[in-house]
Amino acid sequence: MEGRSCSFSHFLCYVLCLAAFCIIPSESAVKRYQFNVQLKNVSRICHAKPIVTVNGRFPGPTIYAREGDRVIVNVTNYAQYNLTIHCSGMGGQTDQPTSRMRHVYDFNVTEQRGTLWWHAHIFWLRATVHGAIVILPKKGVPYPFPQPAAEFNIVLGEWWHKDIEAMENQANQLGIPPNLSDAHTINGEPGPLFPCSEKHTYTMEVESNKTYMLRIVNAALNDDLFFNIAGHNMTVVEIDAAYCKPFTTRALLLTPGQTTNVLVHAAQTPGRYFMAAKPFQDAAIPVDNRTATGILQYKGVPTTILISPNMPPLLAKNDTNFVMSFNDGLRSLNSAQYPATVPLHIDRDLLFTVGLGKDPCPSCVNGTRFSGSINNITFSRPTVALLQAHYYRMGGVFKTDFPDRPTSTFNFTGAPSAANLGTKVDTRLSWIPFNSTVQLVLQDTNLLGVESHPFHLHGYNYYVVGSGVGNFDPNKDPANFNLVDPPERNTIAIPTAGWTAIRFRANNPGVWFMHCHLEVHTSWGLTMAFLVENGNRPEDSVVPPPKDLPPC
């Protein structure tokens, strides 16, 4: 196995052991799934190619469970690629079936309910290897909002005509970004605005005067996506598997990795209405600006009715004002049953600068290759699993001196500075004592150009207590933090030329990856990891690696 797939997937694989030995309540159920990773020939937009799928489906199958259930997924990999599966938002549990190998993915659903997702977490395979996770409340526990008549899963994604792995490998060799996608998709279908795609259109049937819940996942690799429905407002009730105060909106924004549950009331004149997904990008960066469409169709309406007049008004690609207003409307439910436990006292106060740079590469097209960095450090993936090295106290694998603040300060969002383009390539972790409260400010920088970065933290949810444009001011900005009902998330976007502040309690021991969820930036090293030490009790400590941990 080559170093890249060995280190990253092995590191993620071992994290599975953290959930393997939890006590299962007697009233819980065991849900079993079989995932076969296999190639399948798929045709989209007049192009056919083999893609990596789970069970031959694109998107892959949905995992259904209730809070408190145990989930067992048997994974068999028939594809030619080594593969890591990550359940995003579920404590970071991850598994690696290597080529032609079977492996069991076993975890408990603890104190979570809502919509999450699973996906491949090695190379760019998650373009086609992904699916939703639906966690229902415990039996007898209602939603904190009116019960919908039915629920629909909506997975947004991207499609490339070319082989995704060959394209990524070529781009890495040349030191340039990979090609933009050729289409966006709704449940794997681009919709009738694309050629050869009338039969490749997702349709959702509703009945008049009934309310439905849509569980929406942005599984796109590199694009923030708007989503709206012609003639229908949406009421947001949950984000990243955390209930929120309901609020009504004409459109949604989801960054890669985010999930949103909405209620839609079918109260329009019976007909056919487009659902649309198109990108948001408010920086001077190329983006696939094409729109994927699906159809919301009222029951009893013939499919021959003209659908073009019912296209929703599409937001401008750079509609920053809407994005800021939408994000400002997100608030934790903060009820007696679902309180917002925001840390008020802070033990660790961190400032991480985020950006892109260029490093020397004699074999690349321009003599340089793009790199991503946090506090000017580009993450180097080791050849030994980080969690394994931590558990066995192996030396020489990583350092625990990741800087709490940038080693050099400058006007982070000012004019680009060529002097700041070089980065240090290293494997340095941020050491956090167990049960510490952490405040982390993520600051965008203008090294090559400002850009919004969606950041995902494995193993934790966190509260988004503040955000702003420009440079974070530690003397003024905390006075405006929302410490009462901030949104609870596992993925959040840093505003272009701005900052975001999050808070969480480090009560989940282990090594936890944090990375930009734009896959192109993850490929360039825009990642780091936290090492959270053990607590004093056995249940607050990292458990041994599983006996069937796949070898590197």
Side-chain angles (χ1 to χ4, degrees), residues 199-214:
K199 68 176 183 178
H200 294 299
T201 302
Y202 172 73
T203 300
M204 180 179 75
E205 187 177 77
V206 300
E207 295 185 39
S208 292
N209 298 316
K210 289 188 176 182
T211 299
Y212 298 85
M213 182 156 72
L214 277 56

Side-chain angles (χ1 to χ4, degrees), residues 121 454-458 513-517 522 526-528:
H121 213 323
F455 260 78
H456 173 56
L457 174 60
H458 290 207
F513 199 48
M514 187 180 76
H515 61 94
C516 179
H517 226 302
T522 300
L526 191 51
T527 66
M528 58 83 62

Side-chain angles (χ1 to χ4, degrees), residues 6 8 30 85 91 149 237 240 243 253 268 341 359 410 414 477 491 535:
C6 166
F8 190 33
V30 178
I85 298 291
V237 293
D240 289 359
Y243 294 134
L253 175 73
Q268 296 300 313
T341 55
D359 290 336
F410 55 96
D477 289 324
T491 303

